[in-house]
Every structure is written in C-alpha cells, then in structure tokens.
C-alpha cells in the first residue's frame, strides 16, 4: 500500500475534531487534531498523537500540559485556523480551565498534565492525566473522508 491509500483508509474512520492547546511563557499554542482518545478511567487518562513536524510538539514537551478542546458543530472556523487552512490571520481568545488555555464554546474542554510520552514512528503520543473537565450541551463537529460533517438526527420511520 502507498501513503495515500493508507491516509484514505484512516480517513474512513469518522472522528470528532479537537484543538490541542498548550501554553509556554504566557504564549498559547494550538493545533487541530483528530488523533485523540480516552485511555483509562482510573486514573483518568487520555492520549493525543502529535506529528514530529508539528510546531506544538516542542511546546508540549516544554510545558508538560495540554488541553483537548472537542469542537462544536459551529466551530469549524476554529478547526481551520489551527489547521493552518485559512490565509488570513485571526486572533483567537482562550478561556482558562484549571489554569490551562481552552476554547470557549467547545463541546468538551479537557485539561491535562503530561504523565508520559512515547515516540512511535513519526509521532509522539502524549498521555495526559486529566485534571479538570468542562462540558457544554452542543452538537459536535465531525470529520470524515477529508470533509467536515455534522450529526443529523434520523427521523423516526412510521409504518
């Protein structure tokens, strides 16, 4: 298989969209990612996968903290900003959760301290110990097959 075929196959897994954020010396850094999952309930752990070429990689290594902001359906522009898909520069305001930078309006904000890191292939997996969570009752932004999507409730079928 070639790299394109592998990427296409992985894109067939529908995911939520997150912005991973961290802070170093008062400067906030963020990156759009869908490589995120929960690891453990006790203790509460999550993992994010960051590519070796990502600017945020060294920032998380230095800060030892990160947040996962699970984006809402109305936050596609934020995803595009942190994915570097918009040509114009836009300022993004961050809120705080447990002293860490978060995006207001996200479906979920998950504040973490790095408990371990593992290099696998061309990515580093950061295991985060969850220190706080904030939830909103909103619909999530979805990514599938290279496109943004949203959940649509199916109408009940009457027979």
């Amino acid at each position: 298989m070639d790299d394109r075929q592998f990427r296409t196959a992985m894109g067939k897994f529908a995911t939520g969209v997150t912005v991973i954020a961290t802070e170093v010396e008062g400067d906030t850094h963020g990156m759009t990612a869908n490589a995120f999952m929960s690891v453990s309930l006790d203790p509460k752990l999550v993992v994010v996968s960051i590519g070796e070429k990502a600017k945020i990689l060294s920032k998380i290594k230095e800060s030892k903290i990160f947040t996962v902001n699970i984006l809402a359906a109305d936050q596609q522009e934020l995803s595009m900003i942190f994915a570097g898909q918009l040509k114009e520069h836009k300022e993004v305001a961050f809120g705080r959760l447990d002293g860490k930078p978060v995006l207001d309006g996200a479906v979920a904000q998950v504040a973490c301290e790095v408990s371990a890191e593992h290099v696998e292939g061309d990515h580093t997996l950061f295991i985060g110990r969850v220190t706080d969570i904030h939830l909103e009752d909103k619909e999530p932004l979805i990514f599938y097959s290279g496109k943004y999507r949203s959940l649509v409730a199916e109408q009940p079928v009457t027979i």
Side-chain angles (χ1 to χ4, degrees):
M1 90 197 85
D2 64 18
D3 290 354
R4 170 60 25 215
Q5 184 182 28
F6 181 78
R7 287 181 66 93
T8 299
M10 296 304 102
K12 298 300 180 186
F13 183 64
T15 67
V17 180
T18 74
V19 169
I20 309 302
T22 193
E23 189 174 66
V24 176
E25 296 177 5
D27 291 328
T28 301
H29 306 272
M31 180 190 89
T32 298
N34 62 359
F36 157 73
M37 69 177 197
S38 62
V39 173
S40 169
L41 187 58
D42 185 19
K44 291 168 183 60
L45 300 173
V46 298
V47 65
V48 294
S49 178
I50 309 292
E52 65 186 6
K53 293 180 180 159
K55 294 175 188 169
I56 201 169
L57 179 63
S58 64
K59 308 297 184 192
I60 294 175
K61 286 178 178 257
E62 183 178 345
S63 69
K64 300 292 189 204
I65 59 125
F66 64 89
T67 62
V68 179
N69 300 272
I70 301 173
L71 299 185
D74 62 358
Q75 293 182 305
Q76 180 176 330
E77 184 179 51
L78 283 174
S79 172
M80 295 172 76
I81 289 169
F82 289 103
Q85 296 171 333
L86 295 183
K87 290 189 179 12
E88 73 235 38
H89 175 75
K90 293 202 172 196
E91 277 302 313
V92 175
F94 284 86
R96 309 299 285 177
L97 179 66
D98 191 35
K100 300 168 185 68
V102 291
L103 291 170
D104 293 330
V107 172
Q109 302 166 338
V110 183
C112 301
E113 294 174 351
V114 174
S115 68
E117 57 184 80
H118 305 278
V119 176
E120 293 295 335
D122 58 3
H123 279 64
T124 297
L125 305 176
F126 288 101
I127 309 295
R129 185 180 62 78
V130 178
T131 60
D132 205 354
I133 286 182
H134 176 77
L135 301 172
E136 297 279 340
D137 188 18
K138 301 171 100 174
E139 290 296 313
L141 182 61
I142 305 296
F143 198 72
Y144 172 74
S145 202
K147 295 185 175 102
Y148 292 101
R149 314 282 176 121
S150 60
L151 293 179
V152 178
E154 289 194 25
Q155 299 303 315
V157 177
T158 51
I159 299 175

